[in-house]
């Protein structure tokens, strides 16, 4: 909750102004029944018409004035709430941008989204309507009770008889509504996560004719959702009428008991009129009271959910004093690097004691079995993950001593999973920088041989690629991500199996193009195909997170180990052919 | 009920964004039209029909609710004018008892009405959600190419939610509100004509003012919905692509973009807050001024004894009861409007033709031979850019055919057509001698097992990813598939074996491991025709060879179509088809194609050139390809 206060304090002026306006409104509103009482008193006791009209005029003035002031109070407070909502949403987004990849792997997209959208909205309701009623209700009650007492003590006491019942009802409902609405929220998240996943995997659903199963699961979740909604509707629906009935009872008591006293002659009808008017005024803060409490509870729960995210320190961040990226002779170095996802380095490590130097301008090739840890190793360079022990250096400096932005700016990275944004191809390619010239894009398009594909697209580079690049072929997607990295034109380049869906012919042309494009760059190339790495200055063979062989292509082939096997296997067909 | 104080309405509505609307909704969503569109209401009604008894019971409660409500001021008038002024205690108690009945009656019938309405709403909307979901399952793939996931999620969640709001906010009762207003005017006129006219003098100008604000507010509501949808879309994509954003250090840029959307959303909301505040306050002020008018004029009447104090009290009450629905009406109207536009979009989705559906007389040929025949197939995703241009080939039952070709040449498209993910524009595709368009769709797909290039794992565990929750899959079958696809190694790292947890999209597995899992999945289903699209492109060669040997047995007697760029993957193929720019350029056995010295030959040379230096490909040949 501490965080919430800092936001509220940021806008304290508007809250104070809003609260003052509210108090003004309340005063005027509470004045009106008093004036009415005056008017009725004149009528009851037979005064002059102009006395009545005097009161009527005052009521009109008070009514208009309270309307004007009320507009301001609501605008001040609600808009402050909107400003805070905006601030929190921005801050949360900025915070999310700092959280490392590991965080996102452990989260469901749907859940994160609902925090940024729904939970922040709930907090906003707490800060707008919540605070407004928080000021309002006590003010009305205080005024109301004082004024009623000043009219008649006994009648006030009788009128307030149902109050304990009211308190009881509020207490009973409050927790239950909160719990119920939270479970509706949660079930909603479940439901939309299911829908989202079903739609993202629609090609699999269709290919395996899983429609019926998917619908069955959905129906089940949907039924739960319906039940939870009904439960909430029952509680919410009950609170209003209960409050209304209790308020009605108060008026009834006033009419009954007060009327008896009027008949006895020790009370004026004017007093009863004023009481009824006051009770009417109080009816709504009363009803709103329970609602407000559940609003506050919900807002607090939502804030807690936000706090869960806010309090995660970005595990990977720039150091307090960042060094500049060095330009030492050593390009990329792995020094005794080990890595495990939970940070503990023992049997479960994915990278184990890797020690490699890639001199500046040279190329390192990495091959190895599926799941050997190649991608994980590559991800350590731009600090998508941090080493568990040892260090990764770039240009002679520990990557952790550099500013994160600087580090990543000098690395062009092509992830194994091609991810494109749902905008035009051109904008995807120019993603790395604000200003990219057409020539640069053209060059990258040439190098990755996208030119032929683009030539076929009716809209050329302006083709919208769909979510995740859905309207491109597998190879086109991969080459687009490669081109995107080339446009970034960074001195270090990491290519993670980025030509696996590309045919040999295109691959060959791309590799040759790349070789000249990356002449001065320091590269790490991961591949399953010997063709992509055999030109490298050094090749690592990884297995179970360890380097089991290293050397140049010739060395490794000569050595007759795993790499030579791999090479032989990839040549196998040819040998068979020769045997034929 | 008199309500001079802060409402719950506006605030509650704004705070209720319970619906989570994840992804992009780039286009302006909201088409605000009429609040009551007969055509739409008739269609909505169809969802209510199963619950029409409940619905009518709820409606029947409305007159009771209104009578109980409207009786209260009148009873008060009698209590004051007749019994208090007249000093009749017994009469007063009688009236008090009646008042009590009215108060309780209002509460009880109010609750019952709300409960019944919500019951109808929840049940029919749940039906609607299922109807949408089930319909979406049948839509063709081309629909999903064009429509972002987020927008469809929005249809099933927040759009349906808006409809629920329509029920909850009582928008359905707008008509009965009107009836009530008429009643109030009638009662007031009945009690005292001149007094009624004086008290209601403000209504015509109010009507104009409310109308003015309604117009203003309507525009901002539309903006708000559009803008929150944008935020959703942006956010969804940013979260999925966060690694890319970070790798290219575009955090600041995305922050700026997000900030812009966020600020636009805030501005629209603040504007609407001002309108709402003004409207609300205006109605409140009008209530007070009407009271003043009442006293100004009625005071003289009362002093003259023409009316009692009770009449003034009753009039005050009626004025309040008149203005509250008037104020809410503007809100209900907007709820109604957005409900109509939500309904419109939902029905649009439900009306989307299931372009690819079962034929009227679906055929399931028996016996199933497993023959696949493409005859002069023409296909394009977008008009005028054909992706397949007259493709013809036949795969004999039990034959193993490989498809190779440059990227983007139409290989994946070919197999998507085979499973009838899209319908072709020319020619025919026959499976087992029957055109796929005449096949029973799900039977067809069940006969064909495809491992798609786009690997997709569901969150859950490994086992459900292999069986997809299909019951009746034997453990042996799974074990066999696991062994075949070399998934054992993948699972060795996980202590839970098949129960190993799979995160969204399988993010806790390496790319190759994910491919192995999706390969195992197809093996579990044991299809007659096996189609592998780059199923092992990210798998180490060693593993791939192991898999191939294991697959030998599985493929025995099955028709197989294998797409691969690595020629080692297809070394066991009986025949090879070479695609080029959507046409078949070469077809034949390995030896034949080598002899031909065409595209295949070149690919082969490139991959298996024994000399260490890469073979230079002169620009001529590159250009030809
Ligand atoms: N859903 C789609 N909407 C529009 N165009 C598409 C869609 N899918 C593919 N295309 C286009 O159709 C052409 C053929 O794509 P296809 O996926 O069949 O190629 P492919 O031969 O499988 O290539 P790769 O080897 O790269 O996977 C490409 O130019 C691609 O951009
Ligand atoms: N987020 C994660 N949490 C836990 N384990 C993970 C996670 N990501 C990867 N792993 C595991 O770490 C190991 C190494 O994965 P990595 O992606 O580095 O393999 P790889 O060598 O790149 O394989 P491939 O050739 O298939 O791409 C795998 O066994 C994988 O299951
Ligand atoms: Mg990898
Ligand atoms: Mg493909």
């Amino acid at each position: 909750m501490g965080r919430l206060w800092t936001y509220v304090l940021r806008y304290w002026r508007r809250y104070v102004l809003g609260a003052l306006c509210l108090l003004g409104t309340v005063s005027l509103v509470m004045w009106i029944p008093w004036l009415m009482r005056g008017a009725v008193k004149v009528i009851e006791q037979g005064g002059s018409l102009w006395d009545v009209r005097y009161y009527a005029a005052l009521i009109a003035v008070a009514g208009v004035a309270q309307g004007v002031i009320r507009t301001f109070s609501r605008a001040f407070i609600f808009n402050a709430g909107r400003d805070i909502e905006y601030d929190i949403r921005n801050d949360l987004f900025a915070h999310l941008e700092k959280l490392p990849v590991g965080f996102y792997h452990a989260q469901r997209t749907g859940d994160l989204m609902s925090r940024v959208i729904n939970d922040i909205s709930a907090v906003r309701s707490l800060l707008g309507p919540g605070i407004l009623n928080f000021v309002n209700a006590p003010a009305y009650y205080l005024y109301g009770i004082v004024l009623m007492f000043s009219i008649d003590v006994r009648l006030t006491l009788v009128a307030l008889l149902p109050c304990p019942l009211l308190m009881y009802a509020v207490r009973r409902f409050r927790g239950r509504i909160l719990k119920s609405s939270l479970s509706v929220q949660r079930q909603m998240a479940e439901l939309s996560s299911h829908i989202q996943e079903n739609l993202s995997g629609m090609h699999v659903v269709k290919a395996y004719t899983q429609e019926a199963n998917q619908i069955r699961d959905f129906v089940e979740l949907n039924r739960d959702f319906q039940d939870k909604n009904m439960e909430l509707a029952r509680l919410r629906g009950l609170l209003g009428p209960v409050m209304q009935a209790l308020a009605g009872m108060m008026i009834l008591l006033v009419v009954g008991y007060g009327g008896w006293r009027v008949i006895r002659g020790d009370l004026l009808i004017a007093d009863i009129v004023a009481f009824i008017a006051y009770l009417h005024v109080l009816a709504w803060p009363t009803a709103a009271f329970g609602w407000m409490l559940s609003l506050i509870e919900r807002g607090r729960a939502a804030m807690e959910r936000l706090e869960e995210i806010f309090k995660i320190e970005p595990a990977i961040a720039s150091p307090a004093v960042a060094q500049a990226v060095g330009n030492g002779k050593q390009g990329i170095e792995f020094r005794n690097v080990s890595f495990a996802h939970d940070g503990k380095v023992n049997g479960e490590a994915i990278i184990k004691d890797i020690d490699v130097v890639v001199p500046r301008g040279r190329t390192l090739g990495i091959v190895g079995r599926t799941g050997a840890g190649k991608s994980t190793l590559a991800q350590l360079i731009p600090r998508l993950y941090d080493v568990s022990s040892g260090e990764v250096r770039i240009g002679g400096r520990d990557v952790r001593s550099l500013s994160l932005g600087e580090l990543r700016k000098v690395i062009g990275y092509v992830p194994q999973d091609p991810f494109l944004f749902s905008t035009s191809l051109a904008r995807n390619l120019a993603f790395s920088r604000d200003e990219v010239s057409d020539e640069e894009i053209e060059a990258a398009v040439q190098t990755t041989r996208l030119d032929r594909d683009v030539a076929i697209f009716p809209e050329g580079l302006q083709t919208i690629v769909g979510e995740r690049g859905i309207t491109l072929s597998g190879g086109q997607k991969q080459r687009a991500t490669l081109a995107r990295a080339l446009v970034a034109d960074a001195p270090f380049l990491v290519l993670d199996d980025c030509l696996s869906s590309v045919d040999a012919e295109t691959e060959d042309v791309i590799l040759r193009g790349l070789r000249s494009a990356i002449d001065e760059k320091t590269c790490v190339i991961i591949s399953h195909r010997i063709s992509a790495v055999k030109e490298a200055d050094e090749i690592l063979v990884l297995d179970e997170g360890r380097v089991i062989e290293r050397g140049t292509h010739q060395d490794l082939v000569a050595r007759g180990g795993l790499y030579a096997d791999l090479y032989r296997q990839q040549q196998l067909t040819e040998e068979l052919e020769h045997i034929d | 009920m008199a309500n001079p104080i802060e409402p719950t309405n506006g605030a509650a509505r704004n705070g209720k964004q319970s619906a989570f609307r994840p992804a992009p909704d780039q286009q302006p969503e909201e088409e605000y039209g009429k609040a009551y569109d007969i055509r739409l209401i008739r269609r909505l009604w169809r969802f209510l029909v199963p619950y029409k008894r409940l619905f009518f019971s709820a409606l029947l409660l409305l007159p009771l609710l209104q009578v109980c409500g409207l009786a209260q001021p009148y009873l008060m008038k009698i209590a004051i004018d007749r019994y208090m002024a007249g000093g009749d205690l017994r009469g007063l108690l009688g009236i008090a008892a009646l008042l009590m009945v009215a108060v309780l009656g209002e509460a009880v019938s109010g609750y019952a009405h709300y409960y019944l309405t919500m019951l109808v709403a929840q049940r029919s909307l749940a039906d609607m959600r299922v109807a949408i979901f089930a319909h979406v399952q049948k839509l063709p793939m081309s629909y999903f190419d064009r429509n972002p996931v987020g927008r469809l999620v929005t249809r099933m969640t927040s759009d349906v939610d808006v409809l629920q709001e329509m029920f909850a906010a009582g928008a359905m009762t707008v008509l009965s509100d009107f009836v009530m207003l008429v009643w109030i005017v009638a009662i007031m006129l009945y009690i005292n004509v001149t007094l009624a006219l004086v008290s209601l003098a403000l209504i015509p100008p109010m009507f104009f003012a409310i109308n003015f604000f309604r117009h203003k507010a309507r525009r901002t509501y539309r903006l708000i919905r559009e803008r929150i949808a944008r935020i959703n879309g942006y956010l969804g994509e940013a979260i999925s692509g966060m690694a890319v954003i970070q790798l290219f250090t575009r955090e600041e840029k995305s922050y700026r973009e997000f900030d812009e959307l966020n600020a636009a959303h805030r501005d629209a909301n603040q504007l609407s807050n001002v309108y709402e505040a003004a409207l609300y306050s205006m109605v409140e002020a009008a209530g007070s001024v009407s009271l003043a008018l009442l006293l100004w004029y009625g005071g003289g009447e009362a002093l003259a004894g023409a009316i009692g104090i009770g009449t003034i009290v009753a009039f005050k009450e009626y004025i309040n009861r008149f203005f509250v629905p008037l104020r809410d009406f503007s809100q209900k109207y907007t709820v109604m409007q957005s409900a109509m536009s939500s309904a419109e979009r939902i029905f649009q989705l439900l009306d989307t033709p299931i372009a690819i559906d079962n034929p009227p007389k679906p055929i399931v040929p028996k016996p199933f031979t497993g023959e696949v025949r493409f005859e002069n197939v023409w296909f394009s995703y977008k008009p005028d850019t054909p992706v397949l241009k007259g493709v013809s080939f036949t795969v004999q039952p039990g034959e193993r055919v490989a498809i190779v070709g440059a990227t983007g040449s139409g290989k994946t498209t070919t197999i998507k057509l085979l499973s009838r993910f899209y319908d072709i524009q020319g020619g025919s595709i026959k499976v087992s001698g029957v055109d796929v368009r005449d096949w029973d769709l799900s039977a067809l797909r069940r006969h064909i097992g495809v491992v798609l290039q786009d690997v997709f794992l569901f969150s859950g565990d490994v086992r459900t990813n292999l069986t997809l929750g299909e019951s009746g899959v034997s453990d042996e079958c799974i074990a066999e598939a696991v062994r075949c696809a070399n998934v054992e190694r993948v699972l060795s790292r996980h202590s839970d074996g098949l129960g190993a947890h799979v995160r969204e999209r399988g993010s806790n597995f390496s790319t190759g491991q994910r491919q192995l899992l999706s390969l195992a999945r197809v093996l579990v289903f044991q299809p007659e025709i096996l189609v592998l699209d780059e199923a092992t492109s990210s798998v180490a060669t060693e593993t791939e060879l192991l898999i191939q040997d294991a697959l030998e047995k599985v493929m025995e007697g099955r028709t197989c179509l294998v797409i691969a760029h690595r020629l080692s993957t297809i070394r066991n193929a009986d025949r090879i088809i070479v695609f080029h720019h959507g046409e078949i350029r070469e077809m034949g056995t390995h030896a034949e194609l080598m002899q031909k010295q065409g595209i295949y030959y070149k690919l082969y040379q490139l991959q298996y050139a024994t000399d260490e230096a890469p073979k230079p490909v002169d620009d001529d040949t590159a250009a030809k390809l």
Side-chain angles (χ1 to χ4, degrees), chain A residues 71-90:
Chain A
T71 310
F72 283 104
S73 68
R74 291 174 78 88
F76 276 134
I77 293 181
F78 286 175
N79 282 353
R82 285 292 174 189
D83 272 312
I84 295 178
E85 175 188 30
Y86 161 81
D87 285 354
I88 298 182
R89 200 166 272 148
N90 263 354

Side-chain angles (χ1 to χ4, degrees), chain B residues 370-433:
Chain B
E371 186 204 48
V372 171
R373 183 192 290 271
F374 275 62
E375 277 166 16
N376 192 27
V377 170
W378 283 78
F379 174 73
S380 61
Y381 289 102
K382 295 170 199 154
D384 302 328
T385 36
V387 170
L388 294 187
K389 303 171 221 169
V391 168
S392 304
F393 65 89
T394 308
V395 185
Q396 300 301 334
E399 196 186 14
R400 251 176 270 173
V401 167
I403 299 180
V404 300
T407 94
S409 58
K411 306 180 294 296
T412 303
T413 306
T414 303
I415 61 143
K416 282 188 192 156
L417 295 180
L418 179 62
S419 296
R420 214 183 154 207
F421 278 6
Y422 300 86
D423 268 343
I424 54 180
Q425 282 99 25
S428 74
I429 300 172
K430 288 185 175 145
V431 173
S432 200

Side-chain angles (χ1 to χ4, degrees), chain A residues 415-539:
Chain A
Q416 198 171 8
D417 266 336
F419 183 95
L420 296 173
F421 293 93
S422 62
T423 131
S424 70
L425 191 55
R427 287 194 61 182
N428 267 295
L429 297 189
F431 186 66
S432 54
R433 283 182 285 137
D434 290 329
E435 299 290 325
V436 179
S437 69
D438 289 350
E439 291 79 52
E440 285 172 288
I441 291 186
E442 201 48 48
V445 164
Q446 294 272 337
T447 313
T448 53
R449 306 239 64 188
L450 272 172
D451 44 355
R452 292 180 309 177
D453 306 272
V454 170
I456 297 173
F457 297 157
E459 287 109 39
L461 277 171
Q462 298 310 319
T463 305
I464 302 291
V465 300
E467 269 188 331
R468 284 176 182 259
I470 193 173
T471 63
L472 298 182
S473 86
Q476 287 166 346
K477 251 186 291 189
Q478 278 196 329
R479 285 175 295 138
T481 53
L482 175 60
R484 177 173 67 193
L486 291 179
V487 169
D489 194 28
F492 298 87
L493 199 57
V494 181
L495 311 181
D496 189 354
D497 205 16
C498 67
L499 295 172
S500 65
S501 302
V502 173
D503 60 292
E505 149 75 17
T506 312
E507 183 190 21
D508 185 69
V509 179
I510 292 176
L511 284 176
R512 281 189 305 123
L514 266 183
R515 266 171 214 132
S516 59
I518 64 175
D519 214 19
E520 276 124 54
K521 299 187 202 265
T522 314
C523 296
V524 175
I525 300 179
I526 299 172
S527 180
H528 287 295
R529 296 196 206 164
I530 300 289
S531 52
V533 295
K534 70 181 181 191
E535 296 288 300
D537 299 289
E538 184 176 20
I539 299 168

